[in-house]
């Protein structure tokens, strides 16, 4: 199994969720994060002094999936999250050695 | 509400009408009673020079004048606080990424409103004798505004010109504030500033003069005690026009008629706003008596409070049965609807009539909000329904329960509403064509706080993206 | 506080008592003085028809009447704002997942309170002559409520019936609001609405009539100027009963007597609430003079403000020494305790007595809060301690420092408190048996905002789960 | 503003001056006019015993006295609400980790202020006849404070001693509140409590007595209607001294003159604060007329409102052009600047002069804030610029536009400011040496809420760390 | 070493923390997350329009542990977090190649 | 590729970011977390009752990097985040099997 970790633009979350549902992914976990990267932050002003906000709001989507569909999942996220503009984000694939569904004690791919 | 017109020959009869109305115990009243009463007061009101002399001998003005003047000033302060009410209500019912912008607009509106009204609006709205349709305004001057011997406003007006002005000025800014809520989260700041300034500075005084300035509507016997039409319907329909030119917020109306509500970010702010508006309304309506006449002011307090309460309860009932949930935002709008509804006739009906008027307003507002959403008129705070629709209802209700000619009332409220709608529509079209009316899609998505102000309202807090 | 009873033969003596009390320079005073003073006023107060005539000749009422009436109305507006104070205080001291519910309850309570009081309570509380224990209420009518020639309330009452009503109505809703805070975060909305309505509509007017309606407590010389007992102790002990039937919030009291505090979600909201309550109290106490009599009203302002200040400081001192931390929520409760404490005798003692009364209240409230937590009475906002316990203290203090019979004061405050407790207890038991009183465990965990209203108070913000 | 001095032989001339000033239509006025007017009033004001008798025969006081007394009390309530305004403004413009601390300080300041002023300050500030520089204070007593026959304050003062006291007491606490904002986020709580108490209890009454107590500044013809100098410049320069001893917040001023702004955590709170201050200012200035004299009070309402509006707009304009962004926090400060600016001469100039005074204040405040940041004076809320700098401007403006001797005005405002600065500086140095003035670096980083109070202001919300 | 990543119901955090402490786990890192899965969200209403909230509040617990106790840790979390109702959550086990304690420069299992 | 997961004290974020930029790391993702560990929480008080706050605010920094510079990155974070006081935090290194840049479809090390 793999953990597909995608960092995307917040307003793309809805579309990514739908894209994943379509290919049968039934679950995901979403985290509010701040991103730093090529896409530079904007400068704000407060009481006359300027300052730059380097970290931009992003959303991190964690999806655990079976080996077989990893490719499809990455594809789905990629096409759903893409705007073509800088700051679209990244997808990382990380190995999962074991998975458990708390409610049922199921483990392995069945747990996802 | 009778203002400088008091200067005109209508002063006493109208004052009388006002006082009588206040006495009117129950739902309606015979025109005949009114006429008699008018006679009564007219004769009764010849000032007794001796008494005036006796009083002024102390460097003290006629006490009733002093009390009335003081009440008008306190009422002005209460109306002022309504602007904080609007600011928090609008901020609460919109997203946190647009909060700085909303607050800024409200600070601007009250400031701009006071100055334009002093520079032009006041004398344009209360020109004394004029053609009844339009008068050019002019700056207030110090001449005779401070007099306390009735030489400013005539015996009908127990206040100084300063008090008359400041009370009226606090009203004026309201019009633009009503718009501010309806166009929130997508209008360009400079464009809003232009629209708001023209509406408050030029348009509001025109329709205002038709009635309170002693213009044509006043001539035909139209009655609008504290402004269900002249202030609220005016603002509500100006808002409707602005919203129609501006269009809905992105993402609110989905394909297939589905509506994706855009949630307000703070219910406590919204609730604070409504309570402050309720408080301010005691000045808005109570002060519109234009004197401290006990029976009138106290009746107005009672009808105002009961209508607000009835509006809240009926909207709770309706939203609970129709929407299946006791919706706080609907209860808040219902309370305001009750207040807008009673405003035109607060001095002209008994307590139970007021309850009825408020309750009906509370029902109307719920369906109005649902209706406007259905036809894709996107009004984040419900300003069009609360002020526009219920403003019309209130004016008609003043006819039904206050004993005024209902047809005249309808003619009056419609002419004001149409005037507000048409002129604001044209204005917005022009602004759109010249400087643009709406922020870019990216700015709308990111929020106007960063886009227009480069500031955040809550930098310390972690914001959640809508799933 | 003397209300419609002014109509009864007690009017003048009591008015006198009031004025005298206001003059009373220091801590106590001799009964003999009072008697003399009573004589004085009785004789002094025969109205001089000429003067009344002179005044009314201008369609102007007796000026003192006008001023007093105006002040009563302004005071009513100030008391109104206390409801916003309660709303924000209660919202601030509870969790954000129950905020919509709290706000909704407060909007409902003021609206329901105004209407039930108009429909039944007012005339049930001020029935004129009655058996002294209970009178059936009836709706207010417009008959003579607008008169300004004392024909409504008698020479003792310088206001219209409208003013009398609206001022009283603003008080009434307070009782239910006090309960609302104590039962927060776990009571079913419909059940609360029933309990609140019965308490405000039926129960509050009964004990109210015992004193302010000229009933048996008034007959025996019990004194409660602005309602330490009739409003606050009543509400506090009604709240205690409700909390006992309802039980504590899940997870507050752990095994082995350990207490896991459930934190309020916004200290700014709570602080705004307390300042607004302080502001409103100037109307609550100041307006209870029932006229603009300069010495009485101004003394009341001073005693009220100083008692509040003393209550805040003493509770800061105590919490700092006992709890080792300068606890803001305790300071806020201490300030309110001082206000509740002075309410019964605000017109009957000098400034330094007021400071003492307030300071003692500030000490009492801290220990009361700790005590109720120890016996597992879960009161999220401290309403029982602030209003109940300090309400009793204030009534007794009026006896000690105001020169009233202390025993009578104790009898009076206890009978009101017991009445409130017993009747509300029975009421809650019945509601529990019939419609159920408490939300499900799941709903309590998830929050009443989603459960009861399907709404969130702060949808934009990321919420933190308690570790 | 003329207070107890009314007791002294200056009473009538000064009252006259006040009234005249109120009438003054335009920008300035000739000294000669004043003199004549003084004569006029002095002769006019001999009380007619018959009329007084006629009135008091009803146990009713001279109505003008009653109205004026009532207005002073309502004004006191309005000034009270300014303390909530300060609390929310300061809380909004500072970080959420220090919010409990800010709120606590504000609850303490108003409570402490009321008590110290009652125990010492009031009689120290209004000693009647004294050397003109310093008088030892004493507790208020009940003696003659309740009298309504002018025996307390003389014919010049239409209010009871109670009213005079409570109105003044609400002013007093302001001084410490102004400091509270400037030293926020880094001062030790106990140290602040000591500094605040000494400033309000001992220092404020001294410079206050110089003018309002009839001291040397009053003798030389210095004019400060409602306290641009005596309250605001005093508070502002006391704040400057405290900030200089205390030093800036860690991390604000970086190497190479770079400034890293420390953002306030809630713009809605800040905005609520400013609107409440605006509201309260109607009482602050309007009540300073010390009577309900229609022309004076109404003029003051107008000048106050217009100056505030002008201040907001001009600061918006300036910040937009200079900083390139419409900065909400600057607009808020500009509005306050306008209010502080008009305070010294609100009764002495016409509306357009008031607009000018406010507009200039709005410009001054923006540059003052930028300036103080440049010289590393760290003032989180801009108190020094708003109250200090604009307080001086306002006092001078009263000279320029109100017809007072400008040199005298400058001498007066500088002596008060220097007095406040020097004494507070010494005080803070002593406190620093003895009990320490500043919290530890760790506590400053973690926040004073946990450090000083062991409490959080928003426990339910997820906080974001500054990137 | 392994990173045990558990997504649980928020109100179970306290119990999970205690369960872990009992078996000697001295540290963990907790993140507020939103979960999407079989447990469907509820519908809310605002100004008359209904909408469904798909994402439910969950808490993610990250615990780095040595190979030896992975099993015990998973067990502990599972039994502490279980309610048996849908939405109890998941546990994923991910390999950690290196661990460092910043304060002491310790690395490897000793760092945890 | 590796995912370097560092849990640090919030006020150290700025320094860590700069340290990483210096060694040429162009991106990172930051999450607000709560930490439980040897560093014990403080006791707070509310309306007279004491309670302890076990979870302390921390910041989690996720950095995906190529094999070659993992060591440098860990070093950089370590020295930037260190105060020497308890609670400085941890760094975990986790394997990444695949990385994708959404905007460009680049994958592998080039995507980072
Ligand atoms: N090396 C990295 N490790 C972890 N997260 C990264 C890394 N680089 C970028 N990110 C995340 O991806 C987001 C977008 O990256 P950015 O470089 O700004 O644009 P793009 O993805 O289009 O190149 C960043 O805001 C950050 O959250
Ligand atoms: N495939 C997945 N990848 C990541 N997180 C998941 C996945 N499936 C479920 N989750 C998380 O587990 C939570 C509970 O899962 P859910 O399917 O709702 O109930 P259950 O765990 O009882 O089957 C979800 O809210 C989500 O946070
Ligand atoms: N076993 C672990 N798994 C995950 N995170 C941990 C673990 N141990 C510690 N942490 C994180 O590291 C932070 C600091 O650890 P702590 O033991 O308090 O101090 P130190 O790192 O100095 O030993 C904790 O607050 C927690 O967020």
């Amino acid at each position: 199994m793999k953990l597909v970790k995608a960092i995307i633009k917040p307003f793309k979350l809805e579309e990514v969720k739908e894209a994943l549902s379509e290919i049968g992914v039934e679950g995901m976990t979403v985290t509010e994060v701040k991103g730093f990267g090529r896409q530079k932050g904007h400068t704000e002003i407060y009481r006359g002094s300027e300052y730059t906000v380097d970290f931009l709001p992003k959303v991190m989507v964690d999806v655990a999936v079976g080996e077989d569909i990893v490719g499809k999942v990455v594809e789905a996220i990629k096409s759903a999250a893409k705007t073509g503009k800088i700051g679209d984000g990244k997808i990382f694939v990380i190995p999962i050695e074991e998975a458990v569904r708390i409610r049922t004690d199921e483990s392995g791919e069945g747990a996802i | 509400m009778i203002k400088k017109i008091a200067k005109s020959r209508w002063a006493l009869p109208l004052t009388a009408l006002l006082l009588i109305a206040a006495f009117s115990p129950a739902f309606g009243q015979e025109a005949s009673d009114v006429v008699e009463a008018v006679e009564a007061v007219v004769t009764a009101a010849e000032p007794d020079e001796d008494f005036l002399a006796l009083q002024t001998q102390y460097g003290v003005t006629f006490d009733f004048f002093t009390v009335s003047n003081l009440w008008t000033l306190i009422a002005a302060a209460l109306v002022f606080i309504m602007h904080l009410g609007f600011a928090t209500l609008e901020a609460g019912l919109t997203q946190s990424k647009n909060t700085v912008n909303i607050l800024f607009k409200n600070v601007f509106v009250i400031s701009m409103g006071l100055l334009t009204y002093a520079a032009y609006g006041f004398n344009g709205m209360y020109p004394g004798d004029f053609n009844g349709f339009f008068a050019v305004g002019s700056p207030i001057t110090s001449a005779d505004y401070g007099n306390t011997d009735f030489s400013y406003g005539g015996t009908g007006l127990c206040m100084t010109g300063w008090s008359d002005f400041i009370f009226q000025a606090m009203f004026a800014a309201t019009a633009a504030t009503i718009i501010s809520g309806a166009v929130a989260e997508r209008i360009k700041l400079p464009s809003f500033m232009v629209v708001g300034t023209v509406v408050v500075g030029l348009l509001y005084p025109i329709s205002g003069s038709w009635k309170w300035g002693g213009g044509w509507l006043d001539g035909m016997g139209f009655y609008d005690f504290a402004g269900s039409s002249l202030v609220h319907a005016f603002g509500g329909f100006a808002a409707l026009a602005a919203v129609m030119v501006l269009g809905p917020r992105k993402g609110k109306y989905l394909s297939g008629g589905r509506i994706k509500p855009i949630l307000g970010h703070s219910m406590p702010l919204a609730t604070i706003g409504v309570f402050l508006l309720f408080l301010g309304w005691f000045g808005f309506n109570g002060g519109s008596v234009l004197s401290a006449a006990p029976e009138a002011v106290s009746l107005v307090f009672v009808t105002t409070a009961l209508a607000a309460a009835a509006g809240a309860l009926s909207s709770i009932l309706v939203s609970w049965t129709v929407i299946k949930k006791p919706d706080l935002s609907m209860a808040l709008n219902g309370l305001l609807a009750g207040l807008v509804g009673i405003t035109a006739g607060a001095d002209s009906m008994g307590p139970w009539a007021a309850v009825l008027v408020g309750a009906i307003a509370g029902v109307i507002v719920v369906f109005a909000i649902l209706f406007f959403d259905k036809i894709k008129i996107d009004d984040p705070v419900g300003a069009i329904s609360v002020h526009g629709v219920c403003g019309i209802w209130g004016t008609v209700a003043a006819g039904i329960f206050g004993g005024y000619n209902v047809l005249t009332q309808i003619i009056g409220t419609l002419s004001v509403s149409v005037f507000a709608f048409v002129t604001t529509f044209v204005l917005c079209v022009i602004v759109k064509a010249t400087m643009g009316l709406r922020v870019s899609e990216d700015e709308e998505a990111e929020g106007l706080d960063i886009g227009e102000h480069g500031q955040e309202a809550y930098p310390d807090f972690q914001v959640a993206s809508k799933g």
Side-chain angles (χ1 to χ4, degrees), chain A, chain B:
Chain A
M1 294 162 291
K2 305 289 178 222
L3 180 66
V4 179
K5 219 185 216 329
I7 294 136
I8 60 171
K9 287 181 169 166
F11 65 90
K12 279 292 190 181
L13 177 56
E14 195 68 22
E15 288 168 57
V16 168
K17 190 194 79 192
E18 269 148 28
L20 287 171
S21 308
E22 270 161 30
I23 60 167
V25 176
E26 285 164 316
M28 69 193 71
T29 300
V30 174
T31 314
E32 305 281 343
V33 298
K34 294 242 181 73
F36 177 75
R38 283 168 191 68
Q39 176 191 17
K40 288 287 152 261
H42 52 268
T43 65
E44 298 188 8
I45 195 146
Y46 181 73
R47 302 178 70 65
S49 340
E50 277 194 353
Y51 62 99
T52 49
V53 176
D54 297 325
F55 290 94
L56 300 168
K58 302 279 171 186
V59 161
M60 183 163 70
V61 180
D62 286 332
V63 199
V65 292
E67 307 289 349
D68 49 340
I69 58 164
V70 175
K72 274 169 58 190
V73 168
V74 172
E75 263 320 307
I77 296 177
K78 210 167 63 182
S79 47
K82 180 176 295 173
T83 70
K85 294 214 204 74
I86 197 158
D88 275 353
K90 309 259 183 281
I91 303 173
F92 305 121
V93 178
I94 295 166
I96 294 181
E97 296 178 351
E98 179 57 290
V100 179
R101 165 173 289 130
I102 292 170
R103 171 169 49 99
T104 58
D105 297 1
E106 284 164 275
S107 65
E109 301 232 344
I112 310 174
Chain B
M1 182 150 73
I2 304 141
K3 298 277 151 58
K4 272 247 208 79
I5 172 180
K7 281 175 160 176
S8 83
R9 71 194 185 296
W10 290 100
L12 286 171
L14 285 172
T15 319
L17 205 77
L18 182 78
L19 293 169
I20 298 313
F23 280 105
S24 106
F27 284 32
Q29 65 201 6
E30 309 309 327
S32 58
D33 305 5
V34 182
V35 179
E36 285 166 29
V38 172
E39 251 88 84
V41 177
V42 174
T43 48
E46 297 313 331
D48 170 333
E49 296 318 327
D50 306 357
F51 188 65
L52 282 177
L54 184 65
Q55 290 248 354
T56 39
Q57 183 177 322
Y58 301 89
V60 175
T61 47
F62 188 38
D63 286 326
F64 185 73
F65 185 102
T66 306
V67 184
S68 297
N69 183 72
L70 181 62
W71 167 233
T72 304
L73 290 171
I74 292 169
L78 286 169
V79 177
F80 165 77
I81 208 57
M82 290 174 73
H83 290 279
L84 175 55
F86 278 115
T88 52
L89 174 61
E90 294 171 12
L93 292 181
T94 51
Q95 303 165 85
S96 57
K97 65 184 180 182
N98 298 316
T99 303
V100 168
N101 183 251
I102 289 269
L103 297 171
F104 186 92
K105 278 157 57 182
N106 276 276
V107 171
F108 168 77
V109 162
I110 178 66
S111 306
M112 172 276 294
L114 288 168
L115 290 181
T116 52
Y117 206 67
Y120 178 93
F122 183 59
N123 287 327
M125 187 155 161
Y126 300 105
D129 292 326
F130 75 120
N131 58 36
F133 290 88
F134 173 79
V136 180
S138 62
I140 58 170
T141 68
S142 297
D144 88 4
Y145 278 66
N147 299 1
T148 61
D149 54 4
F150 298 110
S151 65
Y152 162 78
T155 33
L157 197 66
C158 282
M159 66 183 68
T160 66
W162 299 126
S163 303
D164 189 19
F165 162 72
I166 195 69
F167 183 66
Q168 294 307 316
M170 292 298 177
F171 270 61
T174 312
T177 311
I178 293 171
I179 301 176
S180 148
V183 299
E185 308 202 276
R186 56 208 193 276
I187 196 167
K188 259 188 180 172
L189 180 61
S191 311
F192 171 79
M193 291 165 89
V194 171
V195 171
T197 306
V198 175
V199 169
V200 175
L202 298 178
L203 304 179
Y204 170 82
I206 294 175
S207 49
S209 71
W210 296 351
K211 164 63 188 162
W212 294 340
W216 68 278
L217 280 177
D218 188 55
M220 69 186 282
F222 173 66
Y223 192 67
D224 186 0
F225 174 58
S228 285
S229 288
L230 272 60
V231 179
H232 296 284
F234 176 91
F237 284 94
L240 176 60
V243 169
M244 284 172 67
V245 180
L246 188 61
R249 288 165 295 174
K250 188 154 174 303
K252 167 107 185 247
Y253 300 112
L254 310 176
S255 55
R258 265 176 56 243
I259 298 173
K260 179 152 182 290
I262 298 172
L263 279 59
H265 84 283
S266 172
M267 281 307 168
L269 271 181
T271 308
I272 288 173
V274 169
F275 272 89
L276 290 179
L277 284 162
F278 194 159
L279 173 69
W281 231 286
F282 285 119
F284 196 92
N285 285 0
S288 294
V289 170
L290 300 183
S291 88
E295 57 288 287
V297 180
S298 56
L299 173 67
V300 166
F301 264 64
V302 171
T303 51
T304 302
L306 292 181
L313 291 191
S314 68
S315 63
I316 287 175
L317 201 74
V318 173
S319 62
W320 212 332
T321 43
V322 175
I323 319 176
K324 302 271 166 303
K325 285 280 184 187
D327 183 324
L328 175 59
S329 69
M330 283 295 188
L332 296 175
N333 278 154
L335 196 154
L336 295 180
L339 289 165
V340 171
I342 195 62
T343 295
D347 65 328
S348 313
M349 62 187 76
W352 297 108
V355 168
L356 203 60
V357 171
I360 294 169
V363 175
I364 292 175
V365 77
V366 174
F367 291 107
I369 288 171
L370 298 178
F371 168 76
F372 283 116
D373 249 351
K374 202 159 264 60
I375 62 170
K376 299 192 167 36
I377 297 293
D378 182 22
D379 176 1
V381 301
I384 301 168
S385 308
V386 170
H387 300 278
V389 179
C390 293
I392 288 184
W393 157 241
T395 315
V396 176
I400 301 170
F401 302 108
Y404 302 101
N405 182 308
V406 174
L407 187 63
T408 316
Q409 293 299 95
I410 293 171
I411 295 170
T413 192
L414 290 186
S415 33
V416 172
S417 305
V418 170
F419 171 77
F421 180 83
V422 173
T423 50
T424 310
F425 194 94
V426 173
L427 170 63
C428 290
V429 169
I430 294 170
V431 172
K432 185 174 183 178
T434 50
M435 57 198 297
L437 203 55
R438 192 170 175 131
V439 299
S440 71
E441 278 210 0
D442 285 6
E443 180 172 336
E444 189 175 342
E446 195 192 23
L448 277 66
D449 290 0
I450 301 298
E452 302 280 279
H453 304 272
Q455 280 175 349
E456 293 170 65
Y458 305 97
D460 284 10
F461 297 101
Q462 181 86 332
V463 172
S465 8
K466 307 295 185 300

